[in-house]
């Protein structure tokens, strides 16, 4: 029985210094006994998977920037995760670029 959602969780535009990407996030439950993760040429972020806590912290920071610029289209104060843009203890990512990722609402 699968716990994955058939419908997308969210769709947004991610802006970097050099491009913009439309990203659709799905839930996928992996059976690690039968499946394995492998690098692919076309994979997001040059083949590395981005841990969900990093995405959540990056989204928090993006929302904070929009709110500080009074450009946040939602309610104030914006709803954010309990980490408020910080990575939880024990979570690391290869570089600090995630701190500037822009998720365009």
């Amino acid at each position: 029985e699968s716990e994955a959602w058939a419908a997308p969780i969210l769709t947004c535009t991610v802006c970097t210094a050099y491009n913009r990407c439309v990203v659709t996030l799905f839930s996928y439950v992996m059976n690690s006994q039968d499946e394995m993760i492998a690098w692919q040429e076309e994979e997001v972020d040059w083949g590395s998977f981005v841990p969900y806590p990093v995405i959540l912290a990056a989204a928090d920071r993006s929302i904070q920037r929009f709110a500080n610029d009074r450009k946040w289209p939602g309610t104030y104060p914006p709803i954010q995760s309990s980490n408020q843009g910080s990575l939880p203890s024990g979570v690391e990512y290869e570089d600090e670029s995630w701190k500037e990722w822009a998720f365009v609402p």
Side-chain angles (χ1 to χ4, degrees):
E1 182 177 324
S2 175
E3 296 177 27
W5 297 348
I9 296 171
L10 66 87
T11 299
C12 67
T13 304
V14 177
C15 301
T16 68
Y18 48 88
N19 69 13
R20 293 176 187 256
C21 306
V22 176
V23 175
T24 303
L25 179 65
F26 290 88
S27 171
Y28 180 77
V29 178
M30 180 179 151
N31 179 341
S32 61
Q33 299 297 313
D34 298 330
E35 302 173 277
M36 97 179 167
I37 298 172
W39 183 84
Q40 299 179 66
E41 184 70 32
E42 68 276 359
E43 192 57 58
V44 174
D45 195 25
W46 301 276
S48 65
F49 286 88
V50 179
Y52 183 68
V54 175
I55 294 170
L56 195 60
D60 280 348
R61 286 175 177 255
S62 181
I63 291 168
Q64 289 167 6
R65 286 190 298 275
F66 277 105
N68 290 342
D69 292 342
R70 304 298 298 168
K71 294 180 179 177
W72 177 245
T75 59
Y76 282 84
I79 297 171
Q80 296 195 298
S81 77
S82 60
N83 290 325
Q84 299 284 309
S86 298
L87 293 180
S89 177
V91 175
E92 296 180 10
Y93 192 62
E94 58 204 40
D95 62 43
E96 299 293 307
S97 67
W98 66 269
K99 292 180 178 181
E100 299 301 320
W101 293 346
F103 296 77
V104 179

